[in-house]
Amino acid sequence: MPWSLASDRPIYAQLVERIKTDIISGVYPPGQRLPSVRELAAQASVNPNTMQKAFAELERTGLIITMRTSGRIVTEDIDMLNHTKKELAQEQIALFLAQMYKLGYQKSEIIALLNNQEGGEKHE
């Protein structure tokens, strides 16, 4: 997935979200070494200092760990990863519901629409 960054929110926050999503989705599995700050900054077309700030935030939350000799790795704490996955899902649900309410849908109508999607195409 390309790095599409919006100008309406801090870039480092968007980088944090993108890397979290990559970790949760398995792009960077537990225990795997992450690319260097410079590598990821080049991929995202951002300043390495901005990427460093995103890494510092991910490290603060415990999702990534700095190893003295091998760089940064993804945590192997499965409970933390599952918790993060649930948090990200809840954020997406809240955004979805907010948009549906803006469109004028009521809760029962949203549920009916979702029920009609069961058995539909699976998105990856």
Side-chain angles (χ1 to χ4, degrees):
M1 175 185 341
W3 292 75
S4 56
L5 304 171
S7 61
D8 62 339
R9 296 183 14 234
I11 298 297
Y12 90 92
Q14 294 176 68
L15 296 173
V16 168
E17 289 172 7
R18 167 64 189 265
I19 296 167
K20 272 186 185 180
T21 300
D22 285 351
I23 289 170
I24 296 306
S25 67
V27 172
Y28 303 120
Q32 181 177 332
R33 183 183 174 279
L34 290 168
S36 72
V37 167
R38 288 194 182 284
E39 287 175 73
L40 277 181
Q43 285 177 24
S45 301
V46 298
N47 185 301
N49 292 332
T50 306
M51 185 62 73
Q52 177 60 42
K53 186 174 180 180
F55 269 32
E57 176 62 19
L58 290 164
E59 203 166 348
R60 187 191 65 73
T61 65
L63 274 180
I64 64 173
I65 301 162
T66 298
M67 307 298 280
R68 290 184 129 232
T69 57
S70 55
R72 291 177 176 91
I73 63 166
V74 175
T75 184
E76 295 183 86
D77 182 343
I78 301 303
D79 289 337
M80 175 182 286
L81 293 171
N82 287 335
H83 177 74
T84 302
K85 184 176 187 175
K86 187 174 181 178
E87 277 183 342
L88 292 175
Q90 288 172 333
E91 288 171 13
Q92 291 302 308
I93 290 167
L95 291 171
F96 168 75
L97 289 174
Q99 287 296 95
M100 295 303 285
Y101 292 138
K102 272 187 188 177
L103 292 173
Y105 283 95
Q106 300 299 314
K107 185 177 181 178
S108 60
E109 295 172 309
I110 296 169
I111 291 169
L113 284 171
L114 290 171
N115 286 333
N116 288 335
Q117 290 300 310
E118 288 181 17
E121 290 184 35
K122 183 177 180 180
H123 297 280
E124 292 185 24

